[in-house]
Amino acid sequence: KDQKLGPNGALRYCLEQLWKSNWLKDQITSLEEDDCFPYVVFDCPGQTELYVHDHSLRGILDDVRREFDARFTAAHLVDVAQCAVPTSYVAACLLSLTAMLRLELPHINILTKMDMANRYDLAMPLEFFREAQELHRIAPFCGVQPCSLDEDNVEEEPSAYARQLQKLSGKICELVDDFSLVCYEPLDVSDGESVAKVVRLLDKCNGHPCGVHAPQSLIEDATELFLLHRGGTDGPSISVDGDNRGAAGRDREPRR
């Protein structure tokens, strides 16, 4: 209020102040590091301004990397509900690409809440949204009701707004396709194997030798929390192999 800033401006201001202060470094230093699996998770805001117009987040990560010899992996989470609205999905792909280019970190895009995917009427098969290839195929669905394309094989003439939206969406799709960097890894928290696969991919991205396997405790915690929320009692049993854990001949394992 004193700075006369709106929500997004206030967020940028806070990140700038965080970058200038030592508060975050002090908090990391105070953590009790698990020598076997030292993870620190930063839950970042999703506002586009932080990745397009602002350098504070990048600066914070660079400082932490130098101070703690940290290995970062960026995980961009996209709700599967975005797939139900073609324009939202196109925007999510653009934001994923922007984060990848601006942060310049090992990066994984994750399609979350896959256990709820069957609740939505999707314009394209789910595999299309996971692969994010040939995105121009979804542009004709932008700004158009799905029923108008399918019902009785009668196509309604799109409005002027819909035509402009399709044209814009098509250009964005071409841009994302030209980079050919975006794809999504599915995540279903009710499936221990899905959780373990995502963790292994994160480990490979941050350079951990051979890709460490997710610890059994992580899989059990994820499935138990989901089942507790849903009122269930039994969860999948996953056998985890820890043979690849650790880096031989190294005295100190970097924080990840």
Side-chain angles (χ1 to χ4, degrees):
K1 184 177 180 181
D2 294 338
Q3 299 293 331
K4 298 181 180 180
L5 298 172
N8 292 343
L11 185 59
R12 291 183 60 186
Y13 175 81
C14 290
L15 279 180
E16 290 174 2
Q17 297 305 307
L18 182 62
W19 188 13
K20 296 175 182 178
S21 72
N22 292 320
W23 180 88
L24 182 60
K25 296 178 182 178
D26 294 340
Q27 294 299 312
I28 297 175
T29 302
S30 66
L31 293 175
E32 291 186 4
E33 179 180 347
D34 183 346
D35 293 332
C36 184
F37 212 62
Y39 263 90
V40 178
V41 178
F42 297 92
D43 185 6
C44 300
Q47 277 80 353
T48 309
E49 291 83 357
L50 300 180
Y51 309 99
V52 178
H53 307 298
D54 196 275
H55 301 283
S56 299
L57 182 59
R58 172 74 179 274
I60 292 170
L61 297 178
D62 288 343
D63 289 349
V64 173
R65 182 192 293 112
R66 288 191 295 267
E67 180 77 17
F68 298 99
D69 188 25
R71 296 176 179 176
F72 282 115
T73 299
H76 182 216
L77 276 58
V78 174
D79 195 314
V80 73
Q82 302 287 343
C83 301
V85 183
T87 49
S88 297
Y89 176 73
V90 171
C93 289
L94 181 60
L95 181 56
S96 295
L97 177 63
T98 302
M100 296 174 78
L101 297 177
R102 296 286 291 180
L103 294 179
E104 295 185 348
L105 293 173
H107 192 106
I108 294 179
N109 297 306
I110 301 174
L111 202 57
T112 65
K113 302 180 183 178
M114 291 298 292
D115 54 304
M116 302 176 64
N118 58 1
R119 299 186 180 185
Y120 303 105
D121 184 17
L122 304 180
M124 302 289 287
L126 188 59
E127 193 67 21
F128 169 86
F129 297 101
R130 290 173 53 182
E131 295 178 351
Q133 299 295 316
E134 299 181 356
L135 290 179
H136 65 274
R137 294 164 53 194
I138 203 172
F141 294 94
C142 295
V144 178
Q145 295 293 333
C147 60
S148 66
L149 295 177
D150 301 329
E151 191 172 303
D152 298 328
N153 295 322
V154 176
E155 295 187 3
E156 297 180 0
E157 184 69 21
S159 64
Y161 169 77
R163 290 194 297 271
Q164 291 296 322
L165 185 59
Q166 290 170 8
K167 184 177 180 180
L168 174 61
S169 300
K171 293 297 183 181
I172 295 175
C173 291
E174 289 179 11
L175 174 66
V176 177
D177 277 337
D178 285 344
F179 279 92
S180 192
L181 293 175
V182 178
C183 65
Y184 292 94
E185 180 64 30
L187 175 62
D188 179 355
V189 296
S190 65
D191 182 357
E193 291 183 357
S194 176
V195 176
K197 183 178 180 181
V198 169
V199 173
R200 286 195 294 268
L201 286 174
L202 293 170
D203 281 315
K204 289 181 181 180
C205 279
N206 65 28
H208 198 271
C210 301
V212 68
H213 288 271
Q216 184 68 31
S217 59
L218 175 62
I219 299 173
E220 292 174 351
D221 288 347
T223 53
E224 287 178 5
L225 284 173
F226 176 83
L227 293 169
L228 179 64
H229 177 69
R230 293 294 179 90
T233 55
D234 298 324
S237 177
I238 308 296
S239 176
V240 176
D241 177 7
D243 292 343
N244 291 330
R245 190 181 304 280
R250 297 183 62 176
D251 295 329
R252 178 172 179 266
E253 181 174 340
R255 294 175 186 261
R256 286 171 285 129

